Amino acid sequence: MIHGGLKKTRGANWLAKGRLLAFAVVLGLVVAGCTKGTYQVDIFPEMHYNQSLKRQEPPRLDPPEGAVPITGREVALDFATAIETANPLPVTQEVLEGAAELYRVNCSICHGTQGLGDGTVGVMLERDGYVRPPALVRDATQSQPDGQIFWTISNGVVVMPRFGPLISEDGRWSLVHYLRYLAEQQG
């Protein structure tokens, strides 16, 4: 009988040691998790901690502040610098043809096919109490430097949207040439 009682004591002894070891491990994790300067242990990470993307939206990686582009991306111009910037594109038939298509697709709906400010949306804007798009062939627009027109196309004004993210830099500069061309055609 003594021998059987010894087995129970040994088994109980191992069980007590196992519980003590488990308690020590849990206590160690709790203390480690509560220490200042450590990262909490995520046992059940939740989805709302992850970076999420909307449908059909690529991930956006913003460059560090003050980074200089090395891939040929355009340099953002502020208004004062833009006024002094000359159009880098030469006026060629190919540039004007490409600009005519860009104008037809992006600008004519508001400014009209001849740049008179009489596009379908432009007329609706005026009817609804908004400012009518300007006539691009008039002196108010044509007297502006190329860089100022480029800046306006890129950044938008009043109800005109920003076309900087939608049209390439060369495309926006070609539109400046096309606006000059439209004014020449109007006489």
Side-chain angles (χ1 to χ4, degrees):
M1 280 239 207
I2 297 175
H3 185 61
L6 188 60
K7 281 187 177 181
K8 283 186 177 182
T9 308
R10 273 191 191 166
N13 196 12
W14 280 104
L15 187 59
K17 286 182 181 179
R19 286 182 184 162
L20 184 61
L21 180 63
F23 179 74
V25 169
V26 169
L27 182 64
L29 287 174
V30 168
V31 169
C34 294
T35 334
K36 200 170 199 174
T38 61
Y39 182 74
Q40 78 238 16
V41 178
D42 262 343
I43 297 173
F44 301 107
E46 297 179 28
M47 288 178 58
H48 65 267
Y49 291 133
N50 296 332
Q51 180 182 10
S52 63
L53 303 173
K54 293 185 174 138
R55 275 184 289 159
Q56 299 182 355
E57 178 183 60
R60 295 182 185 210
L61 301 175
D62 293 331
E65 187 67 33
V68 178
I70 60 168
T71 58
R73 293 179 63 196
E74 72 178 273
V75 177
L77 299 176
D78 62 349
F79 188 73
T81 308
I83 290 176
E84 299 171 2
T85 305
N87 195 333
L89 287 181
V91 182
T92 64
Q93 188 63 32
E94 183 181 344
V95 167
L96 288 176
E97 287 172 2
E101 181 62 14
L102 281 174
Y103 182 86
R104 184 188 70 75
V105 170
N106 297 292
C107 310
S108 65
I109 193 76
C110 292
H111 294 282
T113 56
Q114 299 301 314
L116 299 173
D118 59 351
T120 308
V121 172
V123 172
M124 289 172 55
L125 285 171
E126 185 179 39
R127 182 193 68 207
D128 293 341
Y130 292 98
V131 176
R132 185 175 184 167
L136 301 174
V137 295
R138 302 287 186 247
D139 286 340
T141 302
Q142 294 296 318
S143 63
Q144 296 176 8
D146 287 353
Q148 184 175 353
I149 297 172
F150 174 82
W151 187 90
T152 303
I153 294 169
S154 299
N155 298 299
V157 289
V158 190
V159 294
M160 180 178 151
R162 296 177 49 219
F163 285 100
L166 305 173
I167 302 174
S168 71
E169 181 179 13
D170 285 348
R172 286 175 276 142
W173 281 116
S174 69
L175 280 171
V176 174
H177 283 315
Y178 187 71
L179 295 181
R180 304 283 190 220
Y181 171 78
L182 278 178
E184 287 175 14
Q185 297 303 310
Q186 295 292 323

